[in-house]
Amino acid sequence: PMNPRSVVFVLGSADPEMRAIRWILGKTGYRYAYANRFGRRCNSSNAYNADELTKHIKDEQQIVWVECRSPKFVEGRDIIVDHHHVGDPGYDAPPDQFWEGSSVGQVGKLIDRCSPELLLTAASDHCLSAAMRGECKGIDPDELMNWRITARASMGDMQPWLLKRMISRAVDRIESLPRIQFGGVQIVDGTFDATPELRDAAAVAGVPILTTRKGPTGNVKVGLYGARPDLVTAWMDAMKESDFVQQTYGNPFREYAGAILTIEASNRLVVANRPNQKI
């Protein structure tokens, strides 16, 4: 493992995985800083455009960037821990390599730490749908969902039983939602449906799903979750070729993708779906 005195981990946006990373770093005596943007801790939309760190880092210290970047980042000198973008160490890790693929697993390997709870954290974050289908060795799907409910409820200041009930209601809702045929596969159409927790419910039900949410700028984001890698790739290609999509992102190996629609397309869709339900 690394020498705790010679390395600083820079942590991006807060989520259960990042919380677990912060916990193991604290327990093992490693220093960490947060990536900030405009004086506040980064969120998932600006973590790669951080403008400052919460601690001063000496020139001789090794920096490990965990799902974030700032102008301080130096290619070839610094270590990257991530699985979101092409070229990241964990980007193309399939479900049976979920520990190596996840950010918590990459940190665990750097500092020589692993535990049953950290393995659940890794499977939950790296490839939830595949893990719920039993494709992550040593991970029990029921135990995984129970852990995930507890972790997410803790972050959201919510009672776990309430989140569990919301997910089970969403599982029931999925049965009545329409299906879209794409690439010879049926995908649940959860777009513009206001039922909370559809994404986790789809993982429990073992079905791929499309969902929508409206971003702060008014652009609608369409998300595809739990689809096999070839289907995710085909969907991303179709989105890139369309004239109503502003940006696409995703990772086929982790079975998710997203498309941010143009503001014109977003406004048309919102108006068209207003009689149904809000996003």
Side-chain angles (χ1 to χ4, degrees):
M2 297 176 142
N3 179 348
R5 285 191 294 275
S6 63
V7 61
V8 179
F9 289 77
V10 181
L11 310 183
S13 172
D15 63 12
E17 185 188 36
M18 200 64 76
R19 181 184 268 195
I21 289 169
R22 184 192 68 190
W23 183 82
I24 53 167
L25 292 174
K27 290 289 277 185
T28 49
Y30 284 88
R31 290 181 74 231
Y32 59 85
Y34 296 121
N36 276 4
R37 176 85 175 163
F38 302 134
R40 301 178 65 174
R41 184 168 178 188
C42 283
N43 57 42
S44 57
S45 64
N46 62 22
Y48 298 92
N49 292 306
D51 51 23
E52 63 174 2
L53 310 181
T54 56
K55 281 189 179 140
H56 173 70
I57 299 176
K58 297 173 188 163
D59 289 343
E60 66 272 16
Q61 287 184 305
Q62 174 73 66
I63 304 176
V64 181
W65 298 89
V66 186
E67 300 188 3
C68 63
R69 299 285 189 288
S70 87
K72 212 170 165 57
F73 171 73
V74 177
E75 186 88 45
R77 179 199 71 181
D78 299 349
I79 295 171
I80 292 171
V81 163
D82 215 327
H83 55 166
H84 287 91
H85 309 104
V86 176
D88 285 344
Y91 177 82
D92 55 2
D96 62 354
Q97 293 171 19
F98 69 94
W99 179 246
E100 295 81 0
S102 69
S103 290
V104 69
Q106 290 168 49
V107 170
K109 291 193 86 150
L110 286 171
I111 67 172
D112 198 20
R113 281 289 181 279
C114 186
S115 72
E117 184 167 349
L118 291 175
L119 287 167
L120 289 170
T121 310
S124 168
D125 192 80
H126 188 68
C127 49
L128 176 64
S129 298
M132 290 302 293
R133 294 194 303 264
E135 293 175 20
C136 294
K137 191 178 176 187
I139 299 295
D140 175 77
D142 292 338
E143 191 184 351
L144 173 63
M145 189 46 71
N146 285 335
W147 174 87
R148 184 174 167 87
I149 286 168
T150 304
R152 289 187 54 222
S154 166
M155 286 213 71
D157 291 327
M158 180 192 293
Q159 291 295 326
W161 66 264
L162 181 59
L163 181 54
K164 190 170 187 174
R165 190 172 74 180
M166 288 163 71
I167 291 171
S168 93
R169 284 183 174 173
V171 171
D172 292 341
R173 175 66 179 152
I174 276 174
E175 289 183 21
S176 61
L177 286 171
R179 277 18 181 198
I180 297 170
Q181 285 282 347
F182 183 81
V185 177
Q186 282 203 338
I187 300 173
V188 176
D189 182 7
T191 57
F192 295 93
D193 188 274
T195 309
E197 298 302 326
L198 283 174
R199 182 187 175 182
D200 275 34
V204 171
V207 291
I209 191 167
L210 278 172
T211 64
T212 42
R213 66 187 174 93
K214 201 165 159 187
T217 53
N219 297 71
V220 170
K221 290 185 179 183
V222 184
L224 172 63
Y225 301 103
R228 301 285 186 172
D230 55 344
L231 197 73
V232 174
T233 301
W235 186 81
M236 285 177 78
D237 289 344
M239 291 298 105
K240 281 174 190 162
E241 287 167 16
S242 74
D243 54 7
F244 55 83
V245 171
Q246 185 174 295
Q247 182 192 340
T248 59
Y249 58 91
N251 183 338
F253 299 97
R254 294 178 59 205
E255 303 189 357
Y256 81 91
I260 301 172
L261 308 187
T262 63
I263 196 67
E264 297 80 17
S266 298
N267 290 340
R268 284 201 305 272
L269 270 175
V270 169
V271 169
N273 286 278
R274 199 164 277 153
N276 300 337
Q277 298 187 49
K278 296 196 292 288
I279 301 178

